[in-house]
Amino acid sequence: MISIKTKSELEIMRKACKITAAARALAGEMVRPGITTREIDKAVHDFILSQGATPSFLHYQGYPASACISVNDTIIHGIPGGRVLKEGDIVSVDVGAYWGGFHGDCAATFACGEISPAAQKLIDVTRQSFFEGIQFARQGNRISDISRGVQSYVEANGFSVVRAFVGHGVGTHMHEEPEVPNYVDPRRGPGPRLFRNMTIAVEPMVNAGTCDCRILGDGWTTVTADGKLSAHYENTVLITDGEPEILTVTEGL
């Protein structure tokens, strides 16, 4: 069942989402050669707690960390640890914060020092594909309108959209209905209509090569099937009477 939020619930979500976005920004500032992914995760964890919130990801279905930190060919769900970041890496950070009974969810891919032009293009196209998609995130449209906007932009730039994982509704649960694919699948149909006060996480996951992926033996870490780079960009978005509102922003925290 798709959850429609009340005005008071949305005020709580805005706070949760601002905390989440600030945690993402903190992580991005820490991405540099010589730092470990565990150090970034600890900073995210401590920051979220300092805001009176709880890390959404920690212990979620057994996940052992507060952030997903995915490097280079890791698409999503990279588990932080002793890996030392090096010059030229690209680093995707996905975070969530739970405050007042509601979750925020967002992600971005960051350059570690100087990166290749090809890697920078992948990051830029992934981020822009989010905005190409959410221009259709308007009351009365359908989920597939967002999906088509993301997919068409990504593929026009020579990259592929991950199909094994999709965006989702977000609210009192981190993953709610509806699913928000980044591609159009005729078997899915057009998807649900968008209504005012729906909140969804739109999150393009874009690969430099094939869209195929595989999950490593830890049951979490998801990598590209061909070993090529992947990037990720995500925000929690509110459907309104007009333009969509991106909730995972840091202003006013």
Side-chain angles (χ1 to χ4, degrees):
M1 180 177 178
I2 296 173
S3 170
I4 305 298
K5 278 69 176 183
T6 66
K7 183 178 180 180
S8 60
E9 288 173 336
L10 287 171
E11 287 308 307
I12 297 170
M13 274 201 76
R14 285 189 178 93
K15 174 69 172 179
C17 286
K18 286 176 180 176
I19 295 169
T20 307
R24 174 180 60 184
L26 171 63
E29 291 166 1
M30 294 181 70
V31 171
R32 63 181 183 275
I35 197 168
T36 66
T37 56
R38 182 182 290 115
E39 289 175 285
I40 297 173
D41 179 68
K42 185 179 187 306
V44 166
H45 174 271
D46 292 348
F47 172 77
I48 291 173
L49 292 183
S50 78
Q51 300 299 306
T54 302
S56 298
F57 297 175
L58 187 60
H59 307 312
Y60 179 74
Q61 296 184 355
Y63 187 74
S66 297
C68 298
I69 304 180
S70 305
V71 183
N72 294 336
D73 65 335
T74 301
I75 302 169
I76 51 172
H77 302 160
I79 299 174
R83 181 171 185 163
V84 179
L85 298 182
K86 65 181 190 301
E87 189 90 10
D89 285 339
I90 65 171
V91 184
S92 299
V93 181
D94 192 355
V95 295
Y98 182 70
W99 186 88
F102 288 86
H103 294 272
D105 192 5
C106 65
T109 302
F110 302 96
C112 185
E114 293 294 321
I115 63 173
S116 70
Q120 188 63 59
K121 180 183 177 183
L122 175 65
I123 292 174
D124 293 344
V125 167
T126 302
R127 185 180 188 278
Q128 184 58 34
S129 73
F130 165 85
F131 291 99
E132 297 294 325
I134 69 160
Q135 65 181 314
F136 300 103
R138 304 177 69 95
Q139 181 170 237
N141 284 350
R142 291 189 180 272
I143 291 292
S144 59
D145 295 318
I146 299 173
S147 307
R148 185 174 295 105
V150 171
Q151 181 181 16
S152 59
Y153 183 79
V154 168
E155 293 180 350
N157 280 279
F159 299 124
S160 64
V161 172
V162 171
R163 286 163 165 72
F165 298 89
V166 298
H168 51 90
V170 60
T172 56
H173 296 84
M174 190 165 60
H175 293 101
E176 298 182 348
E177 294 183 19
E179 290 191 338
V180 185
N182 297 300
Y183 64 99
V184 176
D185 183 348
R187 294 170 297 181
R188 287 178 176 264
R193 286 203 182 275
L194 300 169
F195 291 97
R196 180 174 174 267
N197 292 354
M198 284 175 61
T199 48
I200 56 176
V202 179
E203 52 175 320
M205 292 156 274
V206 178
N207 293 349
T210 178
C211 67
D212 296 332
C213 61
R214 60 189 179 90
I215 300 175
L216 301 187
D218 59 25
W220 286 102
T221 307
T222 302
V223 301
T224 58
D226 56 9
K228 294 185 178 180
L229 296 178
S230 185
H232 186 192
Y233 190 76
E234 174 186 22
N235 282 301
T236 301
V237 176
L238 169 66
I239 307 302
T240 73
D241 289 332
E243 295 292 323
E245 178 184 345
I246 298 175
L247 297 180
T248 36
V249 293
T250 54
E251 289 83 355
L253 179 66

